[in-house]
């Protein structure tokens, strides 16, 4: 485990320590525990359990035990974790009672949408339904769904920060809406199960992030830019660089997710992300300046066109947090670069 990661885990503990007493002697079930969110959930869970000397266990659903064992042996062998092989849509229910469930088990790989929109839509909905059924029979009191800002559809060009009260939605006649619409249906399922069975269903509408474990070879622009910088290549911007995004560092993401799980209101969605916008062009130039690589833009922007935005209002989430300080973007990029740079050198 790198020094950077230990510092981040200590940061998470400092800002969530008062929440963890209720986890003692309890079990939590986690889906998606081997992805970007999942690795951070497991890193923070095991670190906090160890530091606070809690008697708590997490059971993690995964499709590929051996692959995760190779990826994160220190987590795979941790005594507070148990790995359970199965598919999110039809896994057999583990025995015993669970007090908490975090459902983070939906792929965010854009290539899957292109190849099989219907399959993605079905997986999101059936995975949520399956985990809610499991929550019902296993005694879960608090259930957290990692939803998405995609539930809002296209953010209006004139709206600087999109609030949870915005009633927009994805275009239901556009198959690329399969992800966002699937998450909308998942949120409705959470409300229905909460009303019918008394489960506290917490909803985190997640935006864009950066940090260790973020895939560098998928469709995440910041990951692609960091990959190019690590490899000493020019940073390539496929579009015109005008879209506006914001990036929350992974340690802050964990503080928010654990806080929403323990303290959030039921069926009351919280936006999770940074409210500090930056254009894709400026993001690339920032990374290029830090690591002394050039930036290439392949399209010319239209001067009369407002930039595409994907930036949340986070006032509702901040109301839950005792400390509203967040890791600044430049520092977040440097932390991610150091972590991935070490992984890159280890593989050589």
């Amino acid at each position: 485990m790198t020094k950077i990661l230990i510092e981040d885990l200590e940061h998470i503990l400092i800002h969530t320590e008062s929440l963890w007493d209720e986890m003692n002697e309890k079990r939590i079930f986690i889906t998606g525990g081997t992805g970007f969110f999942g690795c951070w959930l497991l890193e923070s869970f095991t670190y906090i359990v160890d530091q606070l000397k809690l008697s708590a266990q997490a059971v993690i659903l995964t499709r590929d035990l051996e692959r995760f064992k190779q990826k994160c042996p220190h987590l795979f062998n941790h005594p507070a974790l148990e790995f359970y092989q199965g598919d999110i849509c039809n896994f057999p229910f583990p025995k015993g009672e669970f007090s908490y469930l975090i459902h983070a088990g939906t792929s965010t790989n854009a290539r899957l949408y292109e190849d099989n929109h219907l399959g993605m839509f079905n997986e999101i909905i059936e995975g949520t339904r399956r985990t809610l059924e499991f929550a019902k029979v296993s005694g879960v009191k608090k259930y957290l769904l990692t939803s998405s800002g995609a539930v809002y559809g296209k953010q209006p060009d004139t709206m600087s920060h999109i609030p949870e009260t915005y009633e927009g939605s994805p275009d239901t006649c556009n198959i690329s809406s399969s992800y966002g619409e699937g998450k909308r249906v998942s949120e409705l399922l959470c409300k229905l199960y909460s009303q019918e069975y008394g489960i506290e269903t917490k909803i985190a509408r997640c935006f864009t992030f950066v940090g260790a474990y973020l895939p560098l070879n998928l469709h995440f622009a910041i990951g692609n830019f960091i990959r190019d910088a690590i490899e000493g290549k020019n940073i390539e911007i496929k579009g015109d660089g005008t879209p506006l995004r914001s990036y929350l560092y992974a340690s802050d993401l964990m503080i928010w997710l654990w806080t929403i799980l323990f303290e959030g209101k039921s069926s009351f969605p919280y936006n999770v992300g940074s409210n500090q916008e930056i254009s894709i062009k400026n993001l690339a130039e920032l990374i290029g300046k830090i690591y002394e690589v050039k930036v290439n833009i392949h399209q010319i922007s239209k001067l009369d066109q407002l930039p595409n935005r994907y930036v949340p209002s986070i006032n509702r989430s901040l109301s839950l947090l005792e400390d509203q300080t967040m890791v600044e973007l430049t520092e977040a990029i440097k932390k991610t670069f150091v972590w991935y740079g070490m992984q890159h050198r280890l593989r050589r």
Side-chain angles (χ1 to χ4, degrees):
M1 193 183 298
T2 66
K3 183 174 182 291
I4 287 285
L5 193 54
I6 293 173
E7 292 173 353
D8 290 339
L9 296 175
E10 181 62 24
H11 174 68
I12 297 167
L13 171 59
I14 289 170
H15 293 284
T16 64
E17 184 171 359
S18 63
L19 305 175
W20 286 90
D21 281 349
E22 68 175 84
M23 179 66 78
N24 199 32
E25 304 292 339
K26 302 293 196 310
R27 292 206 297 170
I28 182 171
F29 188 75
I30 300 175
T31 73
T34 58
F36 171 51
F37 279 27
C39 285
W40 274 95
L41 287 168
L42 301 190
E43 293 280 14
S44 55
F45 178 84
T46 53
Y47 183 81
I48 291 169
V49 165
D50 288 345
Q51 295 300 309
L52 300 183
K53 295 180 171 55
L54 298 176
S55 176
Q57 184 186 44
V59 177
I60 300 94
L61 181 70
T62 179
R63 289 191 181 99
D64 193 336
L65 290 171
E66 190 58 34
R67 182 178 179 184
F68 187 70
K69 181 179 180 180
Q70 296 299 319
K71 177 181 178 180
C72 298
H74 67 290
L75 291 174
F76 189 85
N77 295 308
H78 194 283
L81 303 182
E82 176 184 337
F83 291 85
Y84 188 80
Q85 190 157 345
D87 184 273
I88 187 64
C89 295
N90 55 25
F91 65 94
F93 294 165
K95 295 179 181 180
E97 291 190 358
F98 289 81
S99 298
Y100 308 92
L101 193 154
I102 297 178
H103 178 34
T106 302
S107 174
T108 55
N109 186 344
R111 296 190 186 103
L112 295 181
Y113 311 157
E114 297 170 3
D115 295 338
N116 188 359
H117 292 274
L118 181 59
M120 172 60 65
F121 182 72
N122 286 336
E123 180 183 287
I124 294 171
I125 296 171
E126 293 307 317
T128 303
R129 190 194 307 274
R130 188 67 177 167
T131 55
L132 284 166
E133 279 293 311
F134 176 58
K136 179 183 71 174
V137 302
S138 64
V140 167
K141 300 296 189 295
K142 296 181 179 181
Y143 173 108
L144 173 64
L145 171 71
T146 58
S147 186
S148 170
V151 301
Y152 298 115
K154 185 180 184 298
Q155 182 170 340
D157 297 333
T158 55
M159 180 182 288
S160 64
H161 296 78
I162 193 163
E164 293 89 347
T165 53
Y166 176 62
E167 295 182 350
S169 62
D171 180 358
T172 56
C173 291
N174 185 335
I175 62 172
S176 65
S177 298
S178 59
Y179 181 78
E181 196 62 29
K183 289 294 189 179
R184 278 170 57 86
V185 175
S186 294
E187 291 188 11
L188 177 59
L189 282 170
C190 286
K191 176 61 177 180
L192 293 170
Y193 273 75
S194 177
Q195 184 173 18
E196 187 72 18
Y197 303 109
I199 304 167
E200 293 184 35
T201 52
K202 319 301 181 73
I203 297 169
R205 289 177 178 166
C206 300
F207 280 70
T208 42
F209 307 93
V210 64
Y213 295 114
L214 179 74
L216 302 186
N217 295 311
L218 296 182
H219 63 293
F220 306 110
I222 195 166
N224 296 165
F225 298 164
I226 290 172
R227 175 203 62 205
D228 292 342
I230 289 172
E231 296 177 354
K233 299 177 181 177
N234 290 349
I235 293 175
E236 303 292 334
I237 301 178
K238 296 179 181 178
D240 63 9
T242 61
L244 296 169
R245 299 293 184 265
S246 62
Y247 297 91
L248 186 69
Y249 187 57
S251 64
D252 290 319
L253 167 64
M254 288 302 108
I255 293 169
W256 293 29
L257 291 184
W258 288 117
T259 302
I260 292 169
L261 172 67
F262 290 126
E263 299 286 316
K265 296 179 182 179
S266 182
S267 303
F268 189 72
Y270 296 87
N271 284 342
V272 174
S274 169
N275 61 355
Q276 302 299 308
E277 67 183 36
I278 186 170
S279 72
I280 295 298
K281 177 177 180 289
N282 289 344
L283 173 67
E285 290 175 343
L286 173 61
I287 296 173
K289 181 179 180 181
I290 294 172
Y291 301 107
E292 300 181 347
V293 294
K294 294 182 179 179
V295 176
N296 296 326
I297 301 177
H298 294 286
Q299 294 182 16
I300 298 175
S301 62
K302 297 178 181 179
L303 298 179
D304 59 344
Q305 182 173 312
L306 292 173
N308 173 272
R309 310 179 71 93
Y310 187 60
V311 183
S313 167
I314 56 173
N315 293 336
R316 182 179 289 183
S317 294
L318 290 178
S319 68
L320 279 179
L321 305 175
E322 294 181 3
D323 184 350
Q324 300 181 5
T325 302
M326 291 178 284
V327 176
E328 192 270 331
L329 180 58
T330 299
E331 182 183 359
I333 291 169
K334 289 180 178 179
K335 283 173 171 282
T336 308
F337 190 92
V338 168
W339 190 86
Y340 263 110
M342 292 185 68
Q343 308 305 308
H344 183 69
R345 287 193 293 275
L346 289 171
R347 288 194 298 268
R348 292 178 62 179

